């Protein structure tokens, strides 16, 4: 872990010279060599604008002269001058959530808030989240590809599904898996954030989604033969719902693979449903009619959640990991999780919490009555070949109870 932290580049923005020097010494102790410093927001912005290689992490106090930390974070987020931020002060939880929302909207992550005085243990813990969260949620720098490369990758099935288990909180049994796109290219595994937006831009999302659905169903048949019966969750884009024959095509793909439609859940990201049109609602209704489950993904991150739930025949609600992570200690996040679960119960929807990383997260969700958990506590996304063993390991005596 320390070795990966040492690879990071970090900027410290702190007006108190003693506190700033402490931070610099602690970073040196963790092996971080690429370090920048500034005494106030405007100086930090001037430095960032001149750097060819932007820092991975910005350590910033909010109460700064010249330009406060929130304004600086706004500039950094909108101009993509760093990849993540750590706040160096005790924050009101509501204010931290606002900062997080602002930053995430521009693709910048808030790894957390570190209360002063800063210590090596606090710093190591929060910096370790940089790689851990990036791998789980896909916050990585996109790689540019031309259209032909993307077409060939889809046709050659280089982009394939990896699977993250979803387990019943009541029983601890793995009941489902979410298929997540992974592009295995030149011995590297690329995550969706590095290529998916380009696939959508080039009009290739239908081809990719159908490939993911087809390959996922094949894996389900293999697992069933090995005695592992799992439902499949596959992500669909709003762009997939533009064609009126989508429901028929998906039904054909699933049935040809020997899988029942009732064993497949299609996850629709809440933000993507915002532009609902009559044609999309038509397709969603027909998918439900054919037996597919429908999940509203990343619930609470869009702008018309209740509208979506009232108009679309969803069967499942997935709570975004941004609310689950840290909810044990942050009352406002916990309130969002609790309210979402209560709403789902009233609408008779199944519930899945994403980003479950600790036993505390698990226990909180059990207390609040969540149905299923998904996250690093259980398993990262793994290849179809590795899934059976991964599920067996989860069912070891160390399983939460």
């Amino acid at each position: 872990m320390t070795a990966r932290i040492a690879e990071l580049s970090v900027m410290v923005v702190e007006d108190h010279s003693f506190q700033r020097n402490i931070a610099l010494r602690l970073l040196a102790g963790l092996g971080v060599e690429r370090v920048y410093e500034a005494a106030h927001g405007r100086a930090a912005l001037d430095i960032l604008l001149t750097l060819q290689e932007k820092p991975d992490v910005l350590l910033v106090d909010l109460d700064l002269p010249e330009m406060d930390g929130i304004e600086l974070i706004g500039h950094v987020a909108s101009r993509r001058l760093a990849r993540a931020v750590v706040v160096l002060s005790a924050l009101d939880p509501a204010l931290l959530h606002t900062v997080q929302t602002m930053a995430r909207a521009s693709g910048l992550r808030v790894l957390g808030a570190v209360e002063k005085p800063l210590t090596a243990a606090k710093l190591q813990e929060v910096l370790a989240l940089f790689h851990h969260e990036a791998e789980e949620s896909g916050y990585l720098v996109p790689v540019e590809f031309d259209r032909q490369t993307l077409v060939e990758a889809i046709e050659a099935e280089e982009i394939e599904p990896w699977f993250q288990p979803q387990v019943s909180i009541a029983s601890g049994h793995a009941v489902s898996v979410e298929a997540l796109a992974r592009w295995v290219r030149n011995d590297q595994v690329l995550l969706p954030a590095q290529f998916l937006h380009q696939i959508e831009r080039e009009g290739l999302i239908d081809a990719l989604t159908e490939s993911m659905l087809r390959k996922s169903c094949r894996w389900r048949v293999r697992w069933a033969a090995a005695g592992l019966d799992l439902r499949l969750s596959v992500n669909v884009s709003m762009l997939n719902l533009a064609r009126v024959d989508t429901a028929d095509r998906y039904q054909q793909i699933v049935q040809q693979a020997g899988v029942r439609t009732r064993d497949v859940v299609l996850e629709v990201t809440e933000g993507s449903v915002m532009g609902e049109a009559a044609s999309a609602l038509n397709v969603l209704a027909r998918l439900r009619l054919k037996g597919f489950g429908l999940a509203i993904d990343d619930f609470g991150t869009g702008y018309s959640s209740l509208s979506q739930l009232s108009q679309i025949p969803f069967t499942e609600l997935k709570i975004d990991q941004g609310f689950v992570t840290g909810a044990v200690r942050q009352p406002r996040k916990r309130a969002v999780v609790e309210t979402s679960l209560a709403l789902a119960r009233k609408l008779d929807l199944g519930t899945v919490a994403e980003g479950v990383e600790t036993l505390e997260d698990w226990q909180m969700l059990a207390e609040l009555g969540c149905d299923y958990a998904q996250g690093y506590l259980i398993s990262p996304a793994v290849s179809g070949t590795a899934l059976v063993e991964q599920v067996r390991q989860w069912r070891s005596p160390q399983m939460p109870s």
Side-chain angles (χ1 to χ4, degrees), residues 238-239 241-244 272-285 307-308 311-312:
M238 185 66 181
L239 298 173
L241 307 178
R243 289 178 53 175
V244 295
S272 73
V273 185
M274 282 175 55
E276 72 258 8
S279 59
L281 294 175
N282 178 303
V283 170
L284 288 166
S307 172
Q308 311 303 347
Q311 293 181 23
I312 299 171

Side-chain angles (χ1 to χ4, degrees), residues 115-133:
E115 206 168 329
K116 295 178 181 179
L118 191 61
T119 66
K122 291 178 185 176
L123 191 56
Q124 180 170 342
E125 181 180 4
V126 75
L127 291 180
L129 293 174
F130 181 86
H131 290 294
H132 180 58
E133 288 188 355

